[in-house]
Amino acid sequence: MSTDRTNTPAPRPYQSYVYAYPHKTSYRPLPDRPALRDLWRGEPKSALSLYAHIPFCEVRCGFCNLFTRIGAPDELTTRYLDALDRQATAVREALGDDEPVRFATAAFGGGTPTFLTADELNRLCDIAEKRTGVDLRAVPLSVEASPATATPDRLAVLAERGATRLSLGVQSFVDEEAKAAVRPQRRADVEAALGHIREAGIPVLNIDLIYGIDGQTEASWRTSLDAALAWRPEELYLYPLYVRPLTGLDGRTPLGDRAWDEQRLRLYRQGRDHLRARGYEQVSMRMFRRADAPPQGPEDYACQTDGMIGLGCGARSYTSTLHYSFDYAVHAREVRSIIDAYTATEDFAHAAHGRRVDADEARRRHLLQSLLQADGLDRAEYRERFGGDPERDFAAECARFTARGWLDGTADDRLRLSPEGLAHSDALGPELFSPAVRAAMAAYEVR
């Protein structure tokens, strides 16, 4: 067990993947159901991000706790897109016309957006463009896919409609490991899907891989890394395996907890060093980008400050003072119920579930989303926005991170993680959660 310079045991390295803050398990029903028009009045609208969530998959992987269901019987996808159309119309009306509304980025996620047929993907793009006003061919558009659904007809639609990035969830090129992760696929099918993506001409290919799978070794991890590198993907994401409640792997830990931590850290470092030695730059703990890859995203968009418009029952939206979404669940029965309720909804003009964001939470969110990137936090930008210094505002946390060797003290203009800090991002991030958010997350009943 490692300790910091105060001889305090360091926390376990794999606690929570902080992809957004506050987490949706801290959201609660909003008794006042605020009108979207009121929420967005006065908010900056010059660099919004659009996210459309498609909550369907052909199978549910053993590690997955995303908001998704298997299959879509009885024309459910049609009814879902109908509801998405109604929601997009209501959202655009709420944004108003008092000032220009501009979208800087767009993404389709899930679930598996390519679960939709080619015609349905065309309709999804039409909804995004005709209802919200985003020009998909003029902004970066990222789409998630699975090997089974990355078919030539679907990819042709996405390429023609402006997709600039296709993210393929491979997880492992070793068939036995895929089976252990409850992800039924064959390497031959994965390779075929990758070939289809390259033939479609979408500029950026991302491949997701997972380390820490039961039975995985340094040698088999290297096999997956090299198999992915053979396609020269512009991006690679390396994810540690998590075993979460109500998922297919619930109750199964590949090794003892401490041994599994050590295995995942060892495989992470192996993967990081392997990719960096082959021309990939580390963007975050998980993300690696090929040095010559085309840029993704306009320079004037910043996830820390710009608003998000989320469409679909699993998507979140956020303004400067409220993050909101729909109800959240993991269990298949509960997910189906929420999707059914969404498709039956006629009034999308109000926020139903969410969490208020005060000044302290805004500072925490900015620090989290900046610090967990390899470039770190721009001190001058933080001072301009919040009128303070992050190491004063979060003195106790920064002192702990420094004692553990997680902060890089070489750059005066930026607060940045050290390589060891990046490796421990999933321990560092949760330590920046506010007491109120921690309490709300702890009180959430997993269902």
Side-chain angles (χ1 to χ4, degrees):
M1 179 183 297
S2 60
T3 59
D4 60 31
R5 293 172 215 166
T6 64
N7 293 320
T8 301
R12 294 187 58 190
Y14 298 104
Q15 297 184 33
S16 176
Y17 172 24
V18 185
Y19 59 89
Y21 179 81
H23 192 271
K24 283 178 73 173
T25 54
S26 70
Y27 290 14
R28 294 294 184 271
L30 299 168
D32 56 339
R33 289 179 55 84
L36 300 190
R37 183 175 290 277
D38 294 335
L39 291 176
W40 284 99
R41 185 178 293 118
E43 290 287 317
K45 305 182 186 76
S46 61
L48 297 172
S49 179
L50 177 69
Y51 176 76
H53 180 258
I54 306 299
F56 307 112
C57 290
E58 70 275 14
V59 296
R60 183 152 193 169
C61 303
F63 50 83
C64 179
N65 73 336
L66 298 178
F67 187 90
T68 188
R69 61 160 291 164
I70 299 172
D74 303 323
E75 298 185 341
L76 181 56
T77 54
T78 298
R79 288 185 280 118
Y80 186 83
L81 290 173
D82 289 345
L84 202 73
D85 196 322
R86 295 193 297 272
Q87 185 190 6
T89 300
V91 168
R92 183 61 188 87
E93 290 175 356
L95 292 176
D97 295 308
D98 296 339
E99 60 181 285
V101 175
R102 171 180 170 262
F103 287 90
T105 68
F108 301 156
T112 308
T114 49
F115 179 90
L116 300 178
T117 65
D119 287 343
E120 289 171 332
L121 285 171
N122 254 321
R123 186 182 178 198
L124 175 62
C125 292
D126 283 343
I127 292 170
E129 292 196 329
K130 295 176 181 179
R131 298 294 184 255
T132 69
V134 62
D135 184 349
L136 295 178
R137 295 178 180 84
V139 303
L141 169 60
S142 178
V143 183
E144 297 172 2
S146 67
T149 60
T151 56
D153 59 334
R154 293 175 169 102
L155 296 170
V157 168
L158 295 174
E160 195 277 328
R161 297 303 295 260
T164 56
R165 179 179 182 270
L166 198 293
S167 181
L168 192 71
V170 173
Q171 320 315 348
S172 177
F173 283 85
V174 179
D175 290 352
E176 292 79 6
E177 290 179 3
K179 182 178 180 181
V182 194
R183 183 180 178 84
Q185 67 183 27
R186 297 183 305 134
R187 177 170 176 175
D189 297 329
V190 172
E191 301 280 1
L194 288 165
H196 296 326
I197 295 166
R198 283 310 196 195
E199 290 167 4
I202 297 172
V204 173
L205 164 65
N206 172 70
I207 296 176
D208 289 345
L209 297 176
I210 286 181
Y211 54 91
I213 300 171
D214 192 15
Q216 192 174 49
T217 65
E218 285 88 345
S220 66
W221 179 227
R222 171 72 176 264
T223 295
S224 283
L225 291 167
D226 286 341
L229 287 170
W231 290 95
R232 300 200 73 241
E234 285 71 23
E235 295 176 3
L236 275 158
Y237 271 72
L238 308 184
Y239 288 95
L241 178 67
Y242 276 92
V243 172
R244 300 178 175 97
L246 302 182
T247 64
L249 294 179
D250 190 7
R252 293 166 54 186
T253 302
L255 302 168
D257 288 344
R258 186 62 61 180
W260 192 29
D261 285 348
E262 293 171 355
Q263 180 209 31
R264 284 180 288 179
L265 273 175
R266 185 169 61 252
L267 295 176
Y268 159 78
R269 292 182 174 121
Q270 177 190 351
R272 174 197 64 191
D273 296 347
H274 196 66
L275 296 186
R276 292 179 63 181
R278 284 151 183 81
Y280 284 78
E281 299 172 346
Q282 185 167 18
V283 179
S284 68
M285 171 187 166
R286 288 163 169 75
M287 181 181 179
F288 296 80
R289 179 184 293 135
R290 213 176 70 205
D292 60 348
Q296 284 287 292
E299 293 182 358
D300 63 343
Y301 175 75
C303 66
Q304 298 94 330
T305 57
D306 293 316
M308 168 78 80
I309 297 295
L311 302 177
C313 58
R316 71 178 71 213
S317 300
Y318 50 76
T319 69
S320 60
T321 58
L322 178 72
H323 291 198
Y324 62 94
S325 183
F326 297 89
D327 201 0
Y328 171 75
V330 176
H331 193 282
R333 180 184 63 253
E334 300 288 342
V335 171
R336 289 195 298 269
S337 175
I338 294 170
I339 293 173
D340 289 343
Y342 174 81
T343 61
T345 299
E346 296 293 336
D347 175 16
F348 285 104
H350 297 79
H353 288 74
R355 186 167 189 86
R356 301 285 178 180
V357 177
D358 61 17
D360 175 67
E361 297 291 17
R363 285 192 294 269
R364 289 179 183 276
R365 178 171 177 268
H366 188 100
L367 178 60
L368 267 169
Q369 293 189 301
S370 301
L371 196 57
L372 295 181
Q373 302 296 308
D375 282 347
L377 179 143
D378 185 316
R379 295 178 187 275
E381 181 183 353
Y382 185 94
R383 283 194 295 270
E384 180 179 354
R385 183 177 179 194
F386 299 110
D389 181 87
E391 287 154 308
R392 284 202 304 270
D393 292 343
F394 301 96
E397 294 91 336
C398 287
R400 288 199 302 273
F401 301 158
T402 298
R404 295 171 187 158
W406 288 358
L407 294 180
D408 178 358
T410 63
D412 293 335
D413 61 332
R414 305 191 77 85
L415 181 63
R416 203 159 44 205
L417 295 182
S418 66
E420 199 62 12
L422 273 178
H424 288 79
S425 292
D426 286 6
L428 182 149
E431 291 198 35
L432 290 171
F433 294 0
S434 71
V437 166
R438 287 175 185 273
M441 292 175 67
Y444 175 78
E445 183 179 349
V446 179
R447 56 190 180 89

